[in-house]
């Protein structure tokens, strides 16, 4: 990514696959988790929520912290970083081992924010990802009259 591409990306604003952060913070793990559970995305360090570019001091320590947040996702996860002058872009791919948790909680990207999933949303997520076995899923195509109803005549003569 070059500087012009970065500026165009920042112009689009935060959304389903893009998050701005002024600097690294304790909620970086939840952002990575949310993108991994979704379609992936980019986290841009050194940019305010309104798109103002502040920059960030990029060090090996900073990059190491980012990798630590990713490795603490369960199951462990990996991200790529790309620095452009004083901006750091964290590329978060869509996870292949969904669902992921951060600090024991499930997060998913909803619009421009990362949301913690509640119990019912977690259940729906597992169903959507086909992680619930077929015998635990309701059969919405079952019709009692058509599929199961036995008449008294059928019961006597069978």
């Amino acid at each position: 990514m070059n500087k012009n591409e970065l500026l165009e990306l920042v112009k689009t604003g935060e959304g389903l696959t893009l998050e701005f952060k002024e600097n690294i913070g304790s909620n970086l793990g939840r952002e990575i988790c949310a993108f991994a559970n979704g379609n992936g995305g980019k986290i841009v360090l050194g940019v305010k929520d309104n798109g103002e570019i502040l920059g960030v001091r990029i060090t090996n320590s900073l990059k190491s912290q980012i990798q630590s947040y990713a490795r603490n996702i369960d199951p462990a996860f990996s991200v790529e970083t790309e620095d452009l002058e004083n901006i750091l872009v964290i590329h978060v791919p869509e996870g292949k081992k969904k669902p992921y948790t951060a600090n024991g909680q499930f997060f998913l990207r909803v619009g421009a924010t990362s949301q913690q999933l509640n119990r019912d949303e977690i259940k729906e997520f597992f169903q959507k990802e086909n992680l619930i076995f077929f015998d635990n899923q309701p059969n919405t195509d079952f019709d009692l009259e058509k599929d199961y109803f036995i008449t008294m005549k059928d019961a006597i003569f069978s």
Side-chain angles (χ1 to χ4, degrees), residues 1-14 18 20 42 44-55 82-89 91:
M1 176 181 301
N2 63 40
K3 189 172 180 175
N4 286 335
E5 291 170 328
L6 175 65
L7 293 174
E8 286 300 314
L9 185 67
V10 170
K11 277 185 195 176
T12 64
E14 291 184 314
L18 184 61
F20 299 148
K42 293 177 180 67
V44 183
L45 289 181
V47 178
K48 291 175 79 170
D49 286 344
N50 66 6
E52 181 185 344
I53 297 175
L54 302 174
E82 177 181 9
D83 48 307
L84 297 151
E85 295 178 19
N86 61 345
I87 303 297
L88 187 69
V89 179
H91 297 273

Side-chain angles (χ1 to χ4, degrees), residues 22-76:
E22 291 181 38
N23 52 46
I24 195 167
S26 61
N27 64 352
L28 186 63
R30 78 183 254 168
E31 301 296 345
I32 293 171
C33 178
F35 282 129
N37 280 331
N39 296 322
K42 293 177 180 67
I43 302 169
V44 183
L45 289 181
V47 178
K48 291 175 79 170
D49 286 344
N50 66 6
E52 181 185 344
I53 297 175
L54 302 174
V56 66
R57 186 167 173 255
I58 300 170
T59 64
N60 286 338
S61 176
L62 176 68
K63 291 179 180 181
S64 179
Q65 275 184 286
I66 291 166
Q67 291 303 330
S68 289
Y69 278 112
R71 280 191 306 273
N72 285 323
I73 302 290
D74 187 27

Side-chain angles (χ1 to χ4, degrees), residues 40-158:
K42 293 177 180 67
I43 302 169
V44 183
L45 289 181
V47 178
K48 291 175 79 170
D49 286 344
N50 66 6
E52 181 185 344
I53 297 175
L54 302 174
V56 66
R57 186 167 173 255
I58 300 170
T59 64
N60 286 338
S61 176
L62 176 68
K63 291 179 180 181
S64 179
Q65 275 184 286
I66 291 166
Q67 291 303 330
S68 289
Y69 278 112
R71 280 191 306 273
N72 285 323
I73 302 290
D74 187 27
F77 196 72
S78 180
V79 297
E80 298 288 325
T81 59
E82 177 181 9
D83 48 307
L84 297 151
E85 295 178 19
N86 61 345
I87 303 297
L88 187 69
V89 179
I90 304 167
H91 297 273
V92 182
E94 179 176 354
K96 297 189 184 326
K97 296 180 179 179
K98 296 178 188 179
Y100 294 89
T101 62
N103 298 319
Q105 299 172 325
F106 295 88
F107 294 94
L108 186 62
R109 195 74 178 172
V110 179
T113 62
S114 296
Q115 299 288 318
Q116 182 179 349
L117 300 180
N118 65 35
R119 181 184 178 280
D120 289 337
E121 290 169 328
I122 293 168
K123 192 166 84 173
E124 287 175 25
F125 186 85
F126 272 76
Q127 288 174 337
K128 181 180 148 239
E129 293 296 322
N130 293 318
L131 296 170
I132 296 179
F133 298 108
F134 78 94
D135 55 343
N136 290 332
Q137 294 181 2
N139 181 354
T140 56
D141 296 327
F142 179 78
D143 181 293
L144 185 62
E145 293 291 324
K146 184 179 93 179
D147 298 328
Y148 189 74
F149 186 72
I150 299 174
T151 65
M152 189 58 124
K153 178 180 167 189
D154 292 336
I156 295 172
F157 295 110
S158 59

